[in-house]
Amino acid sequence: MSDTHRQNSAPTWHGTTILNVRKDGDVVMIGDGQVSLGNTIVKGTARKVRRIGDGSVIAGFAGATADAFTLFERLEAKLEQYPNQLTRACVELAKDWRTDRYLRKLEAMMLVADKDVSLVLTGTGDVLEPDDGVIAIGSGGNYALAAARGLAGQDNLSAEQVARRAMEIAADICVFTNTNFTIETL
């Protein structure tokens, strides 16, 4: 959608930050709670990170909430079809997302992680695994990603401490990110 079209249409639900950090065998996913409509904050306590499937997978979303819930349901079905194979389930979901007429219109991104792998999924068919165990999505994602990469090398910080501090930095910079965090760990 072009910037001109966006300026002429109604305001859209916007913004979030989701960050995943792997460090010293720990996996942490953290998301903020802010939901914005245009330049207005409508909710500050949304829960965008949760456990799915049998509880061994954590997932977070950025984008349209209803679209994200549809994707969570589809991913849970794929996890039932391919138990203990998160990468395979995500690849199969990405195939469906890219080829199905209904799913193609969904406007959301997802981060998912289990004890072995962290992945970002997009509607263009991307299933990406970070090289360094740190990945982020959303309007404040790049701020959180940069901060987490800078903090991850500090031996005195746990994965959760890195994630929490990086999100605080992102919230200080991104107006669409707040400090009401939901944190899930594996």
Side-chain angles (χ1 to χ4, degrees):
M1 184 179 291
S2 72
D3 287 336
T4 305
H5 181 71
R6 281 190 189 125
Q7 291 171 352
N8 295 331
S9 63
T12 58
W13 297 95
H14 182 75
T16 199
T17 303
I18 306 294
L19 172 67
N20 187 92
V21 176
R22 287 180 172 276
K23 183 177 179 185
D24 300 328
D26 293 328
V27 182
V28 176
M29 190 170 299
I30 183 170
D32 77 310
Q34 184 165 304
V35 176
S36 303
L37 179 60
N39 293 325
T40 304
I41 298 169
V42 229
K43 182 174 179 144
T45 59
R47 190 167 181 265
K48 304 170 201 168
V49 172
R50 61 195 48 183
R51 289 183 180 272
I52 61 171
D54 63 2
S56 65
V57 174
I58 48 179
F61 73 89
T65 305
D67 293 353
F69 283 120
T70 298
L71 293 170
F72 280 153
E73 289 172 4
R74 296 286 180 120
L75 181 56
E76 285 181 316
K78 295 295 183 185
L79 288 168
E80 286 178 17
Q81 190 175 356
Y82 305 104
N84 302 314
Q85 298 179 62
L86 180 59
T87 302
R88 172 95 188 263
C90 289
V91 168
E92 294 301 321
L93 174 61
K95 285 181 191 176
D96 291 350
W97 194 352
R98 186 175 166 97
T99 58
D100 182 274
R101 293 177 108 180
Y102 168 73
L103 292 178
R104 270 196 316 245
K105 295 179 184 193
L106 299 182
E107 295 181 14
M109 293 179 72
M110 294 178 67
L111 282 186
V112 296
D114 66 9
K115 62 182 176 49
D116 299 316
V117 67
S118 297
L119 302 166
V120 62
L121 287 79
T122 73
T124 57
D126 297 317
V127 178
L128 304 169
E129 180 180 5
D131 291 332
D132 59 2
V134 179
I135 195 158
I137 58 173
S139 58
N142 287 336
Y143 307 118
L145 179 65
R149 284 186 175 163
L151 294 167
Q154 294 185 19
D155 293 334
N156 61 326
L157 296 178
S158 68
E160 185 170 337
Q161 289 170 320
V162 167
R164 186 178 294 276
R165 182 63 190 124
M167 286 291 287
E168 289 168 351
I169 291 168
D172 284 346
I173 298 168
C174 178
V175 298
F176 296 107
T177 303
N178 71 12
T179 57
N180 186 2
F181 303 138
T182 301
I183 301 172
E184 290 287 346
T185 60
L186 295 174

